[in-house]
Amino acid sequence: MRPINNLRVKDYRLLASPSEIVAEIPMTDAAAETVATSREEVRQLIHGQDPRLLVVVGPCSIHDLGMAEEYAGFIAQARREYAQALVVLMRVYFEKPRTTVGWKGLINDPHLDGSYDVETGLRMGRGLLVKLADQGIPAASEVLDPISPQYVAETMAWAAIGARTVESQTHREMASGLSMPIGLKNGTDGSLQTALNAMKSAGQPHHFLGVEASGRVAIVATTGNPDTHLVLRGGLAGPNYDENQVCAAASELRKAGLPSRVMIDCSHDNSAKDYTRQSLVMDDIAQQIARHNNILGVMIESNLVAGKQAFPPAPGTSLRYGQSITDGCVDLPTTRGMLEQLANAIVKRPAA
């Protein structure tokens, strides 16, 4: 018989099960408390029960654990300094969706050499997230692969469904069962309807194929996730953070019976993919906060060093420490100024 199966599959490499890696890198009591407390804070923000702003800030992607831990020191200080006005979560993204091809993130290729040592990537990712939570630093990440959350989701305070996957049935079903609040981005075309549909879907119970803790394929039954919100990130038609668009989005959410306060992504198409324009987006957001209550919070792509660098690096050179290898980021002084601007704006916010 002619071969007809796995014609384009090169090989399979078995992974340790989620339960095995979780047992190797367990949550501490302090880490679990950080995650639980932060999830509840975010939930209250989404539903208008907390007057503060949610801030997801950090590197576009994590490629160096030492760099991430140093950046976490900045987050710890910011959380203390702005605790009365802001709920600050560290952006800890390990999986990168690609428009065509490119480095897919620390979990997929932790050695940055095309070896795709995913098991090591999972251990590195979980280890960092547990360490951060144990230090009182809640993490925010994107859920991209439908299996990796079994390894790391318990360590996350908040998660995003990205613009490329918000229309995916798989990701909507996954969001319906995840334990943390979820931000769903508008589609890459700028359309809000795909995200609104995703919020409705994620809020409902689902049954689907998945992987349970021992690594076996199972039928997953979920209850639905009521703690979702919209993230405006711009689109092919341009930015969508101006006041008219924000208020229109909030109105559409209210009509749909969904949480109506929106998060604004200062990067991506809202900044025309120019990291230096994130500050301009923040200027506009700060002015809006003083006029209406439709803004839940912001996302900022920030790193130790401004900009981004070529990856792989040129022959004979090495990566610059503290600088992104994916999207360009603002540096720490600029980030601090943006957080200060938000904290000051909240004082002027009108009563709900």
Side-chain angles (χ1 to χ4, degrees), residues 61-80:
S61 60
I62 301 296
H63 69 271
D64 180 316
L65 295 188
M67 181 183 76
E69 290 181 29
E70 182 176 344
Y71 190 92
F74 169 79
I75 293 293
Q77 182 179 354
R79 283 178 55 80
R80 290 190 298 268

Side-chain angles (χ1 to χ4, degrees), residues 5 43 71 97 156 280:
N5 192 40
R43 189 196 70 76
Y71 190 92
M156 298 176 190
L280 300 179

